[in-house]
Amino acid sequence: MEFDFERMGAPERYKLLLATVLPRPIAWVTTRDAAGAINAAPFSFFNVFGSDPATVGIGIGSKEPAEPKDTRANIRGNEQFVVNLVPFALAEQMRVTSIAFPRGVEELKEAELSLAPSIRVGVPRIADAPVSMECTFMQEIALGSFSLVLGRILMVHVKDEAVTNAARQHVDAEKLDLIGRMEGGWYTRTRDRFEMPAIALEDWKEKP
Amino acid sequence: MEFDFERMGAPERYKLLLATVLPRPIAWVTTRDAAGAINAAPFSFFNVFGSDPATVGIGIGSKEPAEPKDTRANIRGNEQFVVNLVPFALAEQMRVTSIAFPRGVEELKEAELSLAPSIRVGVPRIADAPVSMECTFMQEIALGSFSLVLGRILMVHVKDEAVTNAARQHVDAEKLDLIGRMEGGWYTRTRDRFEMPAIALEDWKEKP
C-alpha cells in the first residue's frame, strides 16, 4: 500500500512514521532552565551519527507553533544537555516524565528520580540510568515544527556492572536492558536477540 | 564508569557508541550509481526526525579518508535514495549486502534480492521489505569521516498485510517484524513488547 506523503497532512505523516520506523532508541534528555530547574523528557527521534566528533541528533518538536518544547528551549539557553538511556526498570518513571506538565513542575520530582552530577556540563544526569552522555550543543536544523538538535558527546557514563572490558569498550547489553520505542503506546525490550556476525569478503568468496 | 570522549580516539568512541545506544533502527538504503547499477547497504546510525517536512537522517562513513562509502557517493550523484526497513525474514540477505564488496559487484544480486520500481524517484526499492521510503536529498552535515545525510520522504510503501487501517495510519508492528541493531554482531527482534500508554495530565492530577 502506498502513502503519498506529498498529499498527506503533517499529523498523518507523523503517525505513519511513528508506526513504521522501528525500533527507535530513546533519549531521555535532562536540561536546565534559566531559573535552574532541571527538566527531563523522552524523545525517540534520536540516534548517534558519527564518532569524530561523537555526535547525537534529536528531533524535538514544538508545544505550539513558534513555541519549542522546554528541552529545546533549555538547550538553546545554555547549550548543554545530557542524554540518558532508558532501561526496563525505569520505564514507568520515564512515562511520568513524558506527561505534559505545565512549566514550573519538575518532572524528576514527580517521577521520584534521583540526579547525579555531571563532570563536563552543568546539567546533572539521571543517577539510575545505565548510560548517560554529557553533551554540548553543536547546531540546530529547522524542520518545520521540529528541529534536529545536534550535540557533541564529551563524556559517557556506563554503569559499572555492565562494563565487561573498559579498555576494549565491551559492554554487556543484557545488563543495560534498554527499551526501544514502538508504535502508539508500545515499547520493546532487547532480550529477544540473535547473533549474526559480519561476513568477511574472503569468506564469502570461498563459499561452496 | 566514565569514558572521557575528549581523551579517547575516534575508533574507541565508535565502539562504545555502537555498544550503548540501543536498539537502533536499520536503514537498508538502495541507491543508483552513475553507471546505473543499484547499490544496497545497511546503516544503523539512522532515524526519522520530523514530519513537516518528513525527514530521515543517516550517518554514513567513509571507506578511506576522503572516499565516502558508495551509498553517500551515489546520493550525492543523483540526490535520490530509498530507505527500506529490515524484517527478521531478510536478516541474512541484509548481512550479505553489508559485505565490503569491491566496486562493480552488485550486492543485491549476491544476496538474491528482488527489486520493485519506485513511484517518485528513479531508484528501486527492495521488493520484500515491509516498509520502503522514497526520498530526495535535503542536505549533508559533515561530521569528520562521517556525514549526516538528511532526506525528505516523498512516498512510503507498507506491505498490505501490515496495514490495519490506512485512513488512520494504523500498522501492525508484529506483521512488520522489524529487527534492530545491537552491539557487535548482535540484533534484536521486536516481539518482546509491552504496552505503556501515555498518561494525560488530568489523570496524573487525580491519582490517589
Side-chain angles (χ1 to χ4, degrees), chain A residues 95 110 120 160 185 196-197, chain B residues 1 3-4 95 185 196-197 204:
Chain A
R95 183 193 196 196
E110 297 288 323
R120 290 286 164 79
D160 291 346
M196 196 173 66
Chain B
M1 186 168 294
F3 292 87
D4 184 346
R95 183 194 196 196
M196 197 174 65
W204 180 255

Side-chain angles (χ1 to χ4, degrees), chain A residues 1 3 6 25-26 35 39 122 128 140-141 159 177 180:
Chain A
M1 184 167 293
F3 292 87
E6 301 292 293
I26 304 168
N39 181 286
D128 291 331
E140 182 174 340
I141 297 138
K159 72 172 182 180
D177 198 19

Side-chain angles (χ1 to χ4, degrees), chain A residues 10-31:
Chain A
E12 289 71 38
R13 290 194 292 256
Y14 182 66
K15 279 179 67 183
L16 192 75
L17 294 175
L18 288 181
T20 53
V21 179
L22 309 171
R24 299 186 303 277
I26 304 168
W28 199 8
V29 183
T30 41
T31 53

Side-chain angles (χ1 to χ4, degrees), chain A residues 6-156:
Chain A
E6 301 292 293
R7 290 164 184 265
M8 286 164 64
E12 289 71 38
R13 290 194 292 256
Y14 182 66
K15 279 179 67 183
L16 192 75
L17 294 175
L18 288 181
T20 53
V21 179
L22 309 171
R24 299 186 303 277
I26 304 168
W28 199 8
V29 183
T30 41
T31 53
R32 185 189 293 273
D33 73 15
I38 304 304
N39 181 286
F43 299 90
S44 71
F45 284 3
F46 156 66
N47 213 329
V48 60
F49 289 105
S51 50
D52 192 20
T55 308
V56 289
I58 312 166
I60 306 179
S62 303
K63 290 196 269 196
E64 304 284 340
E67 190 190 354
K69 285 192 175 184
D70 295 344
T71 297
R72 184 145 64 90
N74 292 349
I75 293 173
R76 280 183 184 173
N78 56 28
E79 306 205 332
Q80 298 187 333
F81 59 104
V82 178
V83 173
N84 307 275
L85 301 183
V86 185
F88 180 72
L90 297 181
E92 184 61 33
Q93 278 102 320
M94 177 198 68
R95 183 193 196 196
V96 173
T97 66
S98 75
I99 296 172
F101 291 114
R103 186 176 284 269
V105 174
E106 294 199 39
E107 293 86 358
L108 290 152
K109 283 183 188 154
E110 297 288 323
E112 298 175 20
L113 279 160
S114 303
L115 293 169
S118 291
I119 296 171
R120 290 286 164 79
V121 300
V123 176
R125 59 194 170 93
I126 294 173
D128 291 331
V131 179
S132 296
M133 305 192 284
E134 301 182 24
C135 302
T136 52
F137 175 74
M138 289 169 68
Q139 63 170 296
E140 182 174 340
I141 297 138
L143 301 169
S145 59
F146 281 78
S147 267
L148 170 56
V149 172
L150 298 182
R152 179 190 183 108
I153 307 165
L154 304 179
M155 176 78 65
V156 178

